[in-house]
Amino acid sequence: MKPSLQKLQKIFKLEAERGYDNHAVMGGLDRLLDHWVPEARADNISEELIQIIENRLHDYPRLSPASRAETLEGLLRRIQRSQAAISTDEFAEVELEQVDVAGETAESDDTAVSEPGGLFTESTPETPISPAPTVIKPWKGEPAALDAAVTVLPGIGPRHAQTLARLGIHTLRDMLYYFPRRYDDYSRLKPINRLQYGEEVTVIGIVQNVSVRPLRSGQAQLVEAVVADGSGALRVTWFNQLWVSKRLQPGHPISLSGKIDQYMGRLVMNSPEWEPLEQQQLSTNRIVPVYPLTAQITQRWLRRTMNQVVTYWGPRVQDPLPEEVIRSAELIGLSNALLQMHFPDSWDALNTARQRLAFDEIFLLQIGVLRQKRAWQERTAHVFETDEDWLGTQLGRLPFPLTGAQHKALIDIRQDLASGRPMNRLLQGDVGSGKTIVAALAVGIVIKEGSQAAIMAPTSILAEQHYKNLQQVLATLGVQPEDGSEPVPPILQDWEIRLMIGATPEAEKSEIRRGLAEGWIKLVIGTHALIEDPVQFSNLQLVIVDEQHRFGVDQRAALRSKGENPHLLVMTATPIPRSLALTVYGDLDLTVMDEMPPGRQPVSTHVLPPRERERAYNLIRNQVQAGRQAFIIYPLVEESEKSEAMAAVEDHARLQADVFPSLSLGLLHGRLRPEEKDDVMRRFRDGEYQILVSTSVVEVGVDVPNATVMLIESANRFGLAQLHQFRGRVGRGAEQSYCLLIPETPDAVENERLQVMVETNDGFILAERDLEQRGPGQFLGTRQSGFAELQLANLTDVRLIEKARRQAQAFFENDPGLEDPRHQPLLTALRRFWGDGKGDIS
């Protein structure tokens, strides 16, 4: 055998013994080529064989140990065929072992996370893989390895697995669904002489020279290179990246991507992404993904890792959507979508991929919601018919007639109670729209037949408010007949309606628990104390949950479990945009109360620049002098170094000492104990405090008709829906009320957003704007705990939502139980999407 081939054979054997770590020769096997190629030509080795060996070894550093083993085996066989004089026995001595990538070799490379090898558990192509191929054949069945931990990958051991876990990456599947947060478009090449300051571009050129210059008395280094392309030369710098100077070679072509800057009148590039031109280009000369990072992980490493995982495993992901849905909805396949989402060929391809993956999320959400609704509708519940004469008598007991919206809500609830299936209705209406009266009538319909009802509120003060209102409506108001006969008694006696909150004395709680178990207490109103184990009902048939998004899934389910399929009415004063009503609340029957009782004056709303704060203080002084009260809201409890926002505790002291020294100011915030919060709110309600300084905990609070001013500091930090809730705390009496919004700065754009509050009192318009600007989180609250986070679906995209909803409904009608064997992949995806399946039926 020729010396050059014998040398290569020995190096390959040593590399196999080392577990294919690319350290059999100094600098790696690709660096061997500079010396070996001239030796091979001197030995008269065929040019064809030299080119094959050169091409294979050039890509060797980027391969996984398994792929490196296959590459070297292939080269040895090629050499064997080309050297007819060499016997098979000679080659038997240097057979190369396959590496188990899930075993020790992978583990031992745990320190090499900055420059990984490949990530395949099967052999990979030896040639560079084109990023994001546009046509992928569907894989039949899905490998279980997708749910394997990332530690099965070479170069990722326990330590780096912990680092990836901080990004939410635990399995190979997690990597496929860990999407870029943005994309930089480096796909448009420009000659150097046409570059312009400030643009982000890709430049291809030849490295002219490389130097290292010390900075800060030698404490840092600046790597400088000059790259030319025939049209001009560009100075490129890297700060404190000495390794770059060792990798850049004068005379070699490279690709640079980054932002064009300026220094001493000349255009420069600072710290650009770069790659040798021959390598597969993942970071330059294309639309480049930019992933969310954490400490100890670089963008370049994660990008390479993702490319190898997505390119190999993407085609092996089983598409959960039935073919008929894919065709009808005009979607691309899941494999193509994943590949294009990570490494798009074009912006159009990226948008198409995002549409497919977002559709999947909404479709799975809709199927889950439909299943919940079906499960609820299949249950039976007690039938409550409403006698028209009885209802007319109860309406006559009210001090005012119902609005049209209240009448419609009452009709919906009566139909639900008489249907024989459990009511599962969301009653949505602005603050002051009269939801409590409708709830009271629903309670009356159930209680008149001897059953029990429970109302759960998120705070003690709100529960107490409901108790007083319902006591007035159900246990106080009687009817005096015109013929002078005996008056019609109220629906309940005082002792049949009780309040149970955390502050209720234990002796009284014990009495209430006994009354509920024995059945002589008909209506109980309270907080989460109602769902504690000792509380048992004799015949609970109606559950009403106020501000239901503030209760967790488990809390609502626990209250419902106190009865046997009780009717459920949930109420919220937060206007819910149409897109959310179609998706997240799609399992609930929705009633919207969009009409306010007559006589309510709209709250006069104004945006004031910070320098006009004294005008707001004067208005408060004038209102207090007239016997009214005011709220002042802050976004923070206490000031912090990280935020310039005003805070309640510090400003309460300043306002009391310097601005309103002769007035009484209360302080309310989330760090107070529940009993302290309740005490502050009661004292404000009873007039002991003329001004209440508070954080957002007052958003859902006590009804204080005497409060006429709502001043909100740092208003730009709140969402429009939340500002609307604050505004709803005033204007509850007959007097004109005011809402004053003071942003942190007089910024025009921010003030333009706040101007929407001035333009409309319609909570639904504000909710739609808020959803567009701030996302769905504040609307969903704890309800999201029933299903996976939506990564790509935009809940303002009503067209996509309606499209996915139509497809889900059509599919669900044909196979509601997902019993067809062809739909098993969808059932698996559904279980994965909804987590442990504990989603609340409501």
Side-chain angles (χ1 to χ4, degrees):
M1 179 181 286
K2 299 291 179 69
S4 57
L5 294 179
Q6 285 181 334
K7 177 179 180 181
L8 205 60
Q9 183 174 317
K10 291 177 182 178
I11 291 171
F12 287 3
K13 182 178 181 181
L14 177 61
E15 179 70 6
E17 291 171 353
R18 294 182 59 90
Y20 307 97
D21 63 356
N22 197 25
H23 291 310
V25 296
M26 189 73 69
L29 266 65
D30 57 326
R31 297 297 172 88
L32 166 73
L33 295 171
D34 293 341
H35 307 288
W36 182 83
V37 170
E39 292 177 16
R41 287 182 176 140
D43 281 343
N44 292 318
I45 304 298
S46 73
E47 192 63 31
E48 179 186 5
L49 182 59
I50 291 174
Q51 289 296 319
I52 290 170
I53 293 172
E54 187 174 20
N55 289 338
R56 298 294 189 270
L57 293 186
H58 193 279
D59 292 324
Y60 188 82
R62 76 174 186 83
L63 300 178
S64 70
S67 298
R68 290 173 180 174
E70 185 178 354
T71 296
L72 298 191
E73 280 189 324
L75 287 177
L76 281 172
R77 285 194 292 269
R78 177 76 69 160
I79 292 170
Q80 184 179 18
R81 289 198 299 270
S82 68
Q83 302 293 299
I86 301 177
S87 70
T88 306
D89 292 339
E90 289 181 74
F91 280 94
E93 298 176 3
V94 293
E95 280 190 9
L96 307 177
E97 300 173 0
Q98 286 289 338
V99 173
D100 178 6
V101 298
E104 294 181 0
T105 303
E107 201 63 39
S108 65
D109 200 28
D110 198 19
T111 57
V113 72
S114 59
E115 290 293 332
L119 300 173
F120 310 113
T121 56
E122 300 178 34
S123 60
T124 64
E126 297 166 358
T127 54
I129 304 165
S130 62
T134 54
V135 178
I136 297 294
K137 293 181 180 180
W139 187 263
K140 297 299 182 184
E142 185 170 277
L146 281 174
D147 293 314
V150 292
T151 50
V152 303
L153 304 175
I156 300 181
R159 185 164 57 87
H160 292 303
Q162 287 182 351
T163 304
L164 288 170
R166 293 204 297 267
L167 298 175
I169 297 175
H170 304 277
T171 66
L172 297 179
R173 190 185 307 278
D174 292 337
M175 298 191 81
L176 291 176
Y177 283 87
Y178 188 74
F179 298 126
R181 60 185 172 88
R182 75 163 200 272
Y183 301 83
D184 292 335
D185 190 355
Y186 295 136
S187 59
R188 289 174 294 182
L189 291 169
K190 290 190 76 172
I192 291 175
N193 67 348
R194 294 180 58 190
L195 298 179
Q196 295 180 358
Y197 171 73
E199 63 183 350
E200 291 189 351
V201 294
T202 291
V203 173
I204 288 179
I206 306 295
V207 178
Q208 300 296 304
N209 57 66
V210 184
S211 61
V212 179
R213 181 157 56 90
L215 299 174
R216 301 174 185 169
S217 302
Q219 294 180 350
Q221 290 93 18
L222 186 71
V223 177
E224 295 181 302
V226 175
V227 176
D229 69 350
S231 72
L234 182 67
R235 179 173 172 267
V236 190
T237 64
W238 291 269
F239 179 74
N240 251 7
Q241 298 183 53
L242 194 60
W243 64 273
V244 174
S245 65
K246 299 175 182 177
R247 296 283 300 276
L248 288 177
Q249 297 294 325
H252 284 201
I254 66 169
S255 177
L256 296 161
S257 290
K259 188 174 183 179
I260 301 298
D261 215 329
Q262 203 164 17
Y263 177 73
M264 302 287 288
R266 300 187 63 181
L267 298 181
V268 298
M269 236 186 211
N270 295 319
S271 299
E273 296 273 7
W274 71 276
E275 290 178 325
L277 196 57
E278 303 87 353
Q279 291 188 6
Q280 177 190 7
Q281 295 177 336
L282 301 177
S283 301
T284 62
N285 196 27
R286 61 167 302 135
I287 299 174
V288 176
V290 180
Y291 294 93
L293 298 177
T294 187
Q296 300 176 334
I297 289 182
T298 66
Q299 191 67 242
R300 180 182 287 260
W301 177 81
L302 186 57
R303 196 176 287 141
R304 287 182 181 177
T305 303
M306 283 293 184
N307 179 258
Q308 295 181 77
V309 171
V310 171
T311 306
Y312 183 78
W313 287 107
R316 288 159 171 78
V317 174
Q318 190 172 28
D319 199 324
L321 291 191
E323 292 182 9
E324 61 269 23
V325 173
I326 295 174
R327 278 196 310 272
S328 177
E330 299 179 334
L331 303 171
I332 65 170
L334 179 60
S335 294
N336 280 327
L338 289 170
L339 290 162
Q340 294 292 346
M341 195 68 203
H342 287 276
F343 298 96
D345 291 336
S346 65
W347 289 108
D348 286 343
L350 174 61
N351 290 332
T352 302
R354 184 181 280 116
Q355 281 284 310
R356 162 62 207 259
L357 294 167
F359 178 94
D360 283 8
E361 292 179 344
I362 299 297
F363 185 84
L364 290 171
L365 176 58
Q366 290 289 336
I367 291 291
V369 162
L370 290 170
R371 294 182 86 197
Q372 287 184 355
K373 189 167 188 176
R374 176 172 173 260
W376 185 258
Q377 290 175 337
E378 286 179 345
R379 302 185 183 189
T380 58
H382 189 88
V383 174
F384 293 95
E385 298 284 356
T386 310
D387 181 76
E388 293 295 340
D389 291 339
W390 176 89
L391 183 61
T393 300
Q394 303 312 317
L395 294 177
R397 295 172 57 242
L398 300 177
F400 42 77
L402 296 185
T403 65
Q406 286 174 312
H407 271 295
K408 181 180 180 302
L410 186 57
I411 290 170
D412 290 342
I413 290 171
R414 288 175 60 191
Q415 290 174 344
D416 290 343
L417 292 175
S419 68
R421 295 191 304 270
M423 174 168 64
N424 195 34
R425 185 166 295 278
L426 172 62
L427 183 60
Q428 172 186 335
D430 253 342
V431 174
S433 60
K435 297 187 296 297
T436 304
I437 295 297
V438 174
L441 291 168
V443 169
I445 293 171
V446 169
I447 286 178
K448 72 179 176 62
E449 295 192 17
S451 299
Q452 293 171 301
I455 298 178
M456 190 160 69
T459 65
S460 296
I461 199 72
L462 191 55
E464 187 176 346
Q465 179 178 307
H466 279 314
Y467 173 67
K468 291 186 176 180
N469 289 339
L470 290 166
Q471 198 174 40
Q472 174 74 9
V473 175
L474 297 174
T476 304
L477 295 174
V479 178
Q480 180 65 52
E482 295 179 359
D483 60 6
S485 59
E486 287 293 319
V488 178
I491 297 173
L492 288 174
Q493 300 300 314
D494 277 341
W495 47 268
E496 291 179 306
I497 175 172
R498 301 297 289 271
L499 173 70
M500 187 163 136
I501 57 179
T504 303
E506 188 55 42
E508 188 178 342
K509 282 184 181 178
S510 180
E511 181 192 357
I512 293 172
R513 285 194 286 264
R514 183 167 57 86
L516 291 172
E518 294 176 359
W520 51 267
I521 293 179
K522 300 301 183 185
L523 172 62
V524 64
I525 300 155
T527 56
H528 63 276
L530 293 181
I531 61 177
E532 294 172 354
D533 284 339
V535 179
Q536 298 296 329
F537 291 82
S538 171
N539 185 21
L540 179 63
Q541 292 293 342
L542 175 63
V543 174
I544 298 176
V545 182
D546 194 16
E547 291 304 331
Q548 59 94 30
H549 61 287
R550 291 173 176 266
F551 286 101
V553 167
D554 294 336
Q555 288 175 305
R556 292 199 301 272
L559 182 58
R560 190 190 295 111
S561 70
K562 300 291 184 179
E564 187 176 345
N565 296 336
H567 295 280
L568 179 68
L569 177 67
V570 292
M571 304 191 299
T572 181
T574 303
I576 298 171
R578 170 172 165 75
S579 57
L580 287 188
L582 287 172
T583 51
V584 182
Y585 299 101
D587 57 327
L588 292 167
D589 296 314
L590 180 64
T591 295
V592 176
M593 293 175 55
D594 53 2
E595 181 181 354
M596 300 297 282
R600 288 286 296 268
Q601 295 187 54
V603 177
S604 179
T605 306
H606 306 271
V607 178
L608 300 178
R611 65 177 181 274
E612 296 184 18
R613 187 173 282 111
E614 188 58 38
R615 286 179 58 195
Y617 293 159
N618 284 333
L619 175 63
I620 291 175
R621 290 189 190 99
N622 292 336
Q623 289 292 303
V624 171
Q625 191 173 2
R628 311 294 171 212
Q629 292 167 281
F631 293 92
I632 302 180
I633 306 296
Y634 293 89
L636 304 176
V637 177
E638 295 175 334
E639 292 181 4
S640 72
E641 295 179 3
K642 296 181 180 179
S643 174
E644 298 178 2
M646 300 176 72
V649 173
E650 287 84 358
D651 251 47
H652 173 262
R654 180 185 67 84
L655 291 168
Q656 183 69 82
D658 302 334
V659 183
F660 305 111
S662 61
L663 303 181
S664 178
L665 277 67
L667 175 63
L668 182 68
H669 56 76
R671 294 183 187 171
L672 296 177
R673 295 193 302 272
E675 58 271 22
E676 292 175 323
K677 293 179 189 175
D678 291 345
D679 181 62
V680 171
M681 287 301 293
R682 286 191 188 93
R683 296 175 73 175
F684 181 61
R685 179 191 62 197
D686 296 342
E688 292 183 42
Y689 294 134
Q690 293 150 315
I691 299 172
L692 181 63
V693 177
S694 175
T695 59
S696 61
V697 295
V698 81
E699 177 187 349
V700 175
V702 72
D703 184 2
V704 185
N706 195 46
T708 56
V709 181
M710 171 63 69
L711 169 59
I712 304 172
E713 292 281 3
S714 301
N716 52 289
R717 287 178 168 261
F718 297 105
L720 295 177
Q722 196 172 21
L723 291 173
H724 185 61
Q725 290 287 301
F726 291 144
R727 180 165 61 182
R729 296 294 109 210
V730 298
R732 303 172 75 85
E735 304 297 326
Q736 176 64 58
S737 295
Y738 305 89
C739 179
L740 309 176
L741 309 173
I742 302 181
E744 291 172 292
T745 65
D747 182 84
V749 175
E750 197 61 66
N751 282 3
E752 182 180 345
R753 185 178 77 87
L754 296 178
Q755 284 296 331
V756 181
M757 292 287 296
V758 179
E759 295 165 6
T760 182
N761 274 275
D762 189 323
F764 292 96
I765 294 175
L766 293 171
E768 292 285 355
R769 295 282 188 92
D770 212 27
L771 181 61
E772 293 171 6
Q773 295 170 357
R774 290 164 63 90
Q778 62 190 300
F779 294 99
L780 305 185
T782 54
R783 188 177 176 82
Q784 280 210 62
S785 62
F787 57 89
E789 289 281 345
L790 299 178
Q791 287 185 273
L792 298 175
N794 182 353
L795 289 182
T796 63
D797 190 347
V798 177
R799 284 186 63 187
L800 176 66
I801 288 168
E802 291 182 334
K803 176 181 178 180
R805 184 174 174 82
R806 284 195 307 271
Q807 295 291 338
Q809 287 174 326
F811 171 83
F812 194 74
E813 286 176 7
N814 294 325
D815 186 13
L818 273 69
E819 295 169 353
D820 189 324
R822 295 174 301 170
H823 299 155
Q824 287 308 297
L826 177 60
L827 183 60
T828 301
L830 192 68
R831 288 170 177 159
R832 187 181 298 120
F833 181 81
W834 282 80
D836 58 10
K838 288 172 63 177
D840 185 26
I841 284 183
S842 68

